[in-house]
Structures are given as C-alpha cells and as structure tokens.
Amino acid sequence: MTAIREEFISNPQHKTRTKNSRKRILLWMAIALVVIFCLAPIMWQILTSLKVNQDISQVPTVYFPTRLTLNHYIDLFSRRPFWRYILNSAFVSFISTAFALAIGAPAAYALARLRPRGNQFILASVLIVTLFPGILLFQGLLEIVQVLRLGNNYLALIIPYTAINLPLTILVLRSFFLQLPKDLEDSAKIDGYNTWQMLIQILLPMTIPALVTTGILTFIFAWNEFIFALTFITREDMKTIPVAAAQLSGASTFEIPYGPIAAATVVGTLPLVLLVLFFQRKIVQGLTAGAVKG
C-alpha cells in the first residue's frame, strides 16, 4: 500500500494535472476579480437608481436597496425633457459618425492604394494628430465658433467630433484596404469601374467590419463628450445627455440628487450597451481582421 502511494505521488502526470488545475483556479479567480472591478461601478449606479432616498442617504451605507423604486426614472422624464436630450445626443452622434466615415473612407483608400505625393508625410501627420487630446483644441474651436456664430448650433458639435475622429477612422480603414487583394481592383478596372464605383460598390462592402468598428468608436465618443457640448450649447432644448445629467439639481441647493443622476447615467449608457451587443460580431471581426495578414 505504501509503495502504491509513493508511486502515485511521484507520478509526473499527477503533478502536471495538479499544476494545471491550480493554474485554472488562479485564472478563473483573476477573471472574476477583473469582472467585478469592471462591473462594480455599473452595478452601483443601477442599485442607486433603484433605491429610495432614505436608503441613499442612510449612514452606514446601504449597499443593496431595502425597497425598490422607479421614481427616479419617472421623475427624470416627467420633470425634464430627457427624451429630447436623448434625441439630441443621437442626432449629433449619428451625423458626426456618418461624416467621419464618409470623409475617412476615401482618404484611407487614397493613402492605401493611390499613394498621392507626400503620402508618408500625410500619414505621419495623421499619426501625430492622434497623439493630441481633444481638450487642446478647445480654445481654438471656441474662437472659431464665436467668429462663425455657431453657438447653440449642432454644427458646433458635429464639426469638432468629425475632425477629432477622422485620424482614427483613416488609420483603421487604411489597414483594412491594405489587406484586400490588389487583383480585385485590377479586375474592376478591366470591367470598366472608375475609382469611385470600385470603392463604393466593391471595396466598402468588404470592409464592413472596419466601418462598424470605427463607426461605433466615433459614435461612443460623440455620445459621451462633455466639454464641447457644455460650452457651445446653452439652450435647454438642445443639450445632450452628459450635460443634462451633470446639471440635474435637487429639491434644495444643498441636496445632491444621487438617485436621478444614477438613473440618468443608466439611461444614457443603455443605448451604447445595446449598440455594442447588436454589432458585437462585427466589432470583433473589425478588431482582429486587420491584425493578421493573409
């Protein structure tokens, strides 16, 4: 019996299985910690939006609501035109995303295939622009908005959002155009397609994952942007969701409306979550297809 036990302990396969099981346990523990770390703020906002005011202000903190309520969501839409804020954000985000893709796709194709004079200089300039945060453009954009009298105009948001997202759009789409076989373009030219017809009818349908990926990134940036929307838009009926959520007020000057703010955060985040879930497969394809050549 002792010999069998010693043989079992000294068995290399047993040691390997033990090590693998420990690695799996550690891996799943690490995954669980990362998931909790990422989802904890979201869950906290959701729970706060469902708490009554007594639970929110109670000391010590009540982590889970003792009573569930939807009053914060009801007040959000009954006391303020929150549907209007959602439509404003959606309009600005969709238009700026469409402009970024419409301008970025031909520019990316030109840099990838047509190779204009100064191609490397243009590409280096695009890369350098991506290193600058958007806040550095704030003072210059403010002067432009004042000169062109674009205050309280959606163009004051659409134009900066489009410009800021163009470098990323060009770089991502350029990498996809480089992956496409050159034979497709040669065959299209033989069939009588010009450059625009070839780009729109043949090449763009093959880069849909890249278009979806860059489009969603542009949309998320425009949806969440705060500084430009706060400064360039002052009319109440033209505000976007981030500004409207930040300017929620309580019943008195000294009251911080944690419940309504949490509800506004959940409502403002839900469309982005649904958008990403709907295009999840295309996003994964867009992020991974350009990484492998062939």
Side-chain angles (χ1 to χ4, degrees), residues 66 89 123 157 171 189 215 246 290 293:
T66 57
S89 293
L123 184 59
L157 301 181
L171 292 175
K189 290 178 181 178
K293 189 173 182 178

Side-chain angles (χ1 to χ4, degrees), residues 7-294:
E7 182 180 357
F8 179 77
I9 294 175
S10 60
N11 189 355
Q13 293 182 354
H14 173 71
K15 292 182 179 180
T16 303
R17 291 174 184 173
T18 303
K19 289 181 180 180
N20 291 336
S21 62
R22 289 176 181 175
K23 288 181 180 179
R24 289 197 190 99
I25 293 173
L26 292 175
L27 177 62
W28 283 108
M29 289 178 62
I31 292 174
L33 291 176
V34 171
V35 171
I36 293 173
F37 178 80
C38 294
L39 295 183
I42 300 174
M43 292 303 301
W44 181 262
Q45 289 293 88
I46 294 175
L47 292 176
T48 302
S49 68
L50 298 175
K51 292 179 184 179
V52 296
N53 291 328
Q54 291 80 359
D55 287 346
I56 295 175
S57 59
Q58 185 173 339
V59 179
T61 303
V62 177
Y63 294 100
F64 295 95
T66 57
R67 289 172 292 172
L68 296 178
T69 180
L70 295 176
N71 289 337
H72 299 310
Y73 292 94
I74 296 173
D75 293 343
L76 198 65
F77 291 95
S78 61
R79 295 184 178 181
R80 304 192 70 178
F82 214 79
W83 282 115
R84 179 70 182 180
Y85 303 146
I86 295 176
L87 293 177
N88 293 339
S89 293
F91 176 77
V92 171
S93 301
F94 276 118
I95 297 300
S96 60
T97 300
F99 281 171
L101 294 177
I103 299 172
Y109 176 74
L111 292 174
R113 293 299 197 203
L114 302 182
R115 303 295 178 90
R117 182 177 298 179
N119 180 66
Q120 295 300 323
F121 175 78
I122 296 173
L123 184 59
S125 301
V126 172
L127 288 171
I128 292 173
V129 169
T130 59
L131 301 177
F132 289 90
I135 192 63
L136 294 181
L137 306 174
F138 176 75
Q139 188 64 36
L141 288 173
L142 182 60
E143 295 291 336
I144 294 174
V145 168
Q146 291 176 344
V147 170
L148 299 180
R149 297 183 179 180
L150 292 177
N152 288 324
N153 191 317
Y154 290 125
L155 288 177
L157 301 181
I158 293 173
I159 294 174
Y161 295 168
T162 303
I164 291 173
N165 286 287
L166 263 180
L168 175 65
T169 304
I170 292 173
L171 292 175
V172 174
L173 292 179
R174 176 181 175 273
S175 66
F176 267 78
F177 285 128
L178 289 174
Q179 303 300 322
L180 297 178
K182 195 73 168 54
D183 296 340
L184 287 174
E185 300 168 54
D186 296 335
S187 300
K189 290 178 181 178
I190 294 174
D191 292 338
Y193 285 85
N194 58 36
T195 302
W196 281 105
Q197 291 174 336
M198 180 172 55
L199 175 64
I200 295 174
Q201 299 180 23
I202 298 177
L203 299 181
L204 286 183
M206 301 182 66
T207 60
I208 287 179
L211 293 173
V212 171
T213 302
T214 53
I216 287 180
L217 293 176
T218 303
F219 186 91
I220 291 175
F221 170 84
W223 184 277
N224 291 330
E225 201 280 325
F226 178 76
I227 298 298
F228 297 159
L230 176 65
T231 307
F232 301 154
I233 302 295
T234 58
R235 281 178 49 181
E236 185 67 28
D237 61 337
M238 296 183 66
K239 292 180 179 178
T240 57
I241 287 181
V243 177
Q247 293 180 345
L248 289 174
S249 58
S252 64
T253 307
F254 303 100
E255 180 184 354
I256 301 177
Y258 292 109
I261 290 176
T265 303
V266 174
V267 171
T269 306
L270 186 60
L272 299 181
V273 174
L274 296 177
L275 186 67
V276 172
L277 290 177
F278 184 78
F279 291 104
Q280 182 180 8
R281 183 174 298 178
K282 295 295 182 183
I283 294 174
V284 174
Q285 292 177 2
L287 292 176
T288 57
V292 180
K293 189 173 182 178

